[in-house]
Amino acid sequence: MEKGKKQIVMSGIRPTGFLHLGNYFGALRNYVRMQDEYECYFMVADLHSLTTHPDTKELKGHVHRVLAENIASGLDPDKAALFCQSHVRETSELYLYLNMLAYKGELEKTPTFKDKVRLQPDNVNAGLLTYPVLMAADILLHRAALVPVGKDQEQHLEIARTYANRFNHRYGDVFPEPQAFNFGQALVKVPSLDGAGKMSKSENQNATLYLADSDDLIRKKVMKAKTDSGPTEPNSVKPDYIENIFLLMNLVSEKDVIEKFESDFNNCVIRYGDMKKQLAEDMVKFIAPIREKAESIRTDEKYLKEVMEKGAEKARKSANATMEKVREHMGLVY
Ligand code: TRP
């Protein structure tokens, strides 16, 4: 690596659904921390969403929302390149070249493809099959070394590594091998409020706190979290659903508040009603400012347009530099 040059980070988020606390603590907060130390490319994957959502009536609104929620959570368009996938046409060119290095048999074996076939048997389009090729193009286009993604995307990243190596082997070294990346500590998992699994975009919406939830909705969801009548033995092991409430408190509450409830639990005098009320208020205090900021950004189309233009310009510059190398190495310069 050249001296003084920042390492390149790239990631994408599909514009489907609303962002929730799991996205925030599991991913977004880390992206925000990366902005200063890395050259970051963060993208709204609108083309990927076409593989599952061919109807584009609501796409613009979703793109705006996702961008607004990301900026409200701390992503800074002056630091990172925040852009929309379809604004960088070079992606499609690299996608085409990578398709010649992608084997049908391999793609058909990808578990996410098999899942989608099951979910949408009437729309098994080629874009769905080559979803990982497009994702590899997103990453390799910037010659990114580091890709912050959740567990569910690790297989796609593995495929991107395969194509990087295949390309390099066939045409000469252009791409670094992109690696999964957690910034600092291990990824935070945000448990859902019903004690089952983690907060998620599509499942258990009543047990997931979204950045767009109103104060009252946050209170209602938190108060519904599962509890019991409390421990009867001092210093008991916490049942999962109680441990989860403590985990959530750890994300948003003050230390002394958490210590009080820990000690109440250990002394068998905990009142879960009070604990949930406290958690609800602390969640409201945490989420409300993000929600309000996101809302004012979301409705400012002029600002969003500027952000996307600036981001796309940065992304295209990096993409062009890569594509010149790609064409040259492939012998497509006549
Ligand atoms: N496939 C990713 C997801 O579903 C989104 C994505 C698209 C992405 N392109 C990417 C993630 C490039 C990381 C890098 O979440």
Side-chain angles (χ1 to χ4, degrees), residues 249-280:
M249 229 181 195
N250 266 305
L251 299 174
V252 294
S253 300
E254 300 282 347
K255 218 167 149 209
D256 55 330
V257 168
I258 301 162
E259 279 166 9
K260 176 207 171 315
F261 287 107
E262 285 281 357
S263 130
D264 285 357
F265 178 87
N266 287 330
N267 297 315
C268 308
V269 293
I270 191 157
R271 293 159 64 132
Y272 288 131
D274 291 350
M275 184 180 184
K276 287 196 282 188
K277 257 188 219 149
Q278 175 78 45
L279 177 62

Side-chain angles (χ1 to χ4, degrees), residues 139-246:
I139 298 167
L140 300 180
L141 194 57
H142 304 291
R143 283 171 286 168
L146 305 172
V147 184
V149 281
K151 268 236 158 321
D152 65 319
Q153 296 296 313
E154 268 169 19
Q155 247 141 359
H156 291 157
L157 191 53
E158 180 67 40
I159 296 176
R161 271 196 288 281
T162 302
Y163 298 159
N165 288 326
R166 230 170 247 172
F167 184 100
N168 290 345
H169 188 72
R170 191 163 297 171
Y171 300 116
D173 265 352
V174 172
F175 300 117
E177 259 194 21
Q179 305 296 331
F181 181 49
N182 300 332
F183 195 49
Q185 71 280 65
L187 286 185
V188 183
K189 284 216 177 72
V190 180
S192 85
L193 287 161
D194 58 7
K198 40 182 200 146
M199 288 195 185
S200 134
K201 250 186 204 173
S202 42
E203 294 153 51
N204 59 13
Q205 302 199 351
N206 287 320
T208 295
L209 295 171
Y210 295 90
L211 297 180
D213 282 350
S214 71
D215 292 354
D216 281 346
L217 189 54
I218 295 169
R219 291 191 183 101
K220 214 166 96 194
K221 287 180 177 176
V222 171
M223 294 313 288
K224 274 209 193 128
K226 178 175 172 182
T227 55
D228 52 30
S229 51
T232 48
E233 299 271 327
N235 304 312
S236 302
V237 175
K238 296 183 187 105
D240 289 353
Y241 48 92
I242 298 298
E243 181 65 38
N244 285 351
I245 298 180
F246 276 97

Side-chain angles (χ1 to χ4, degrees), residues 75-90:
L75 282 193
D76 181 347
D78 288 325
K79 292 179 180 166
L82 288 186
F83 63 101
C84 192
Q85 189 177 29
S86 61
H87 289 171
V88 183
R89 306 280 153 83
E90 290 77 3

Side-chain angles (χ1 to χ4, degrees), residues 316-330:
R316 276 196 295 262
K317 195 163 164 227
S318 140
N320 271 318
T322 300
M323 289 317 291
E324 270 182 31
K325 272 189 195 292
V326 165
R327 294 181 205 113
E328 198 181 296
H329 278 72
M330 290 182 75

